[in-house]
Amino acid sequence: IQAALELGLCDGVTTNPSLLAKEKGTPEAILKGLLKIVPGPVNCECVSLDAAGIVAEGKTFATWGKNVVVKVAMNHEGLKAVNALHRLGIPTNVTLIFSASQAYLASKAGASYVSPFIGRLDDISQDGMQLIRDLAVMFRNYPALKTEILTASVRNPNHMVQAMLAGSHIATAPAKVLLDM
């Protein structure tokens, strides 16, 4: 992240519990550190499975910095939590999006961002980039939906380029992909 910041390539950061577990320090300390050095949104993912727990985590994350985005899994409890967090003015990113219908529901619930997992779709012989194209059309056709597309599960430089050409607002990629570019 520091290297990407120095190159001007880091507009924000997405995290998840498994990535944080590989680093030294507590997840809270790592996230608070990122919030201090990253100028843009820092996605902090909830681990609770029920809406009340997700909302509680999200409220806590929001106290850590003005650039917190609460990352919530796409499911019924997650959508309830996104709606509640939206009403509180806390930005959210609904992750694990695999279809346009899921992205639509997340947007209607108040998600600031949706994260379609293109690499995982490609892994199961689906066209991940077609989902990005579909979402770009959907959000263009319905400007009242203010959600941005944050392409995730990017596996290679071609994914990055194709996501941008398809209309993704944002893409998150591991350092290796940025270096390979």
Side-chain angles (χ1 to χ4, degrees):
I1 292 169
Q2 188 61 46
L5 284 166
E6 290 169 5
L7 292 169
L9 301 176
C10 182
D11 299 320
V13 170
T14 57
T15 66
N16 66 51
S18 62
L19 289 174
L20 293 173
K22 294 176 185 176
E23 300 298 322
K24 291 182 182 172
T26 66
E28 181 177 345
I30 295 165
L31 291 168
K32 285 181 175 178
L34 289 172
L35 287 160
K36 288 180 183 169
I37 65 168
V38 175
V42 174
N43 286 247
C44 305
E45 188 166 352
C46 296
V47 295
S48 293
L49 300 177
D50 63 292
I54 295 166
V55 171
E57 281 183 73
K59 286 178 175 179
T60 298
F61 294 156
T63 67
W64 295 350
K66 60 180 175 32
N67 51 336
V68 164
V69 174
V70 179
K71 192 172 170 189
V72 179
M74 175 61 201
N75 58 44
H76 289 148
E77 291 298 305
L79 290 180
K80 286 184 209 174
V82 166
N83 186 260
L85 291 166
H86 174 71
R87 288 190 311 250
L88 294 170
I90 298 172
T92 56
N93 174 9
V94 177
T95 189
L96 298 170
I97 296 290
F98 295 101
S99 70
S101 58
Q102 289 178 327
Y104 175 77
L105 293 175
S107 184
K108 289 293 288 180
S112 308
Y113 308 92
V114 289
S115 288
F117 273 42
I118 60 168
R120 289 198 195 174
L121 285 168
D122 289 353
D123 289 347
I124 60 168
S125 300
Q126 301 294 313
D127 186 353
M129 219 42 74
Q130 184 59 51
L131 177 57
I132 303 303
R133 289 188 289 274
D134 291 347
L135 296 182
V137 169
M138 180 175 74
F139 290 128
R140 215 173 22 252
N141 287 347
Y142 294 92
L145 299 174
K146 301 297 184 195
T147 305
E148 292 187 83
I149 305 163
L150 193 163
T151 299
S153 188
V154 169
R155 305 263 173 86
N156 57 60
N158 188 50
H159 273 162
M160 288 290 283
V161 172
Q162 292 304 311
M164 297 303 106
L165 292 173
S168 184
H169 301 100
I170 306 158
T172 185
K176 181 182 181 334
V177 171
L178 293 177
L179 292 173
D180 287 350
M181 289 174 71

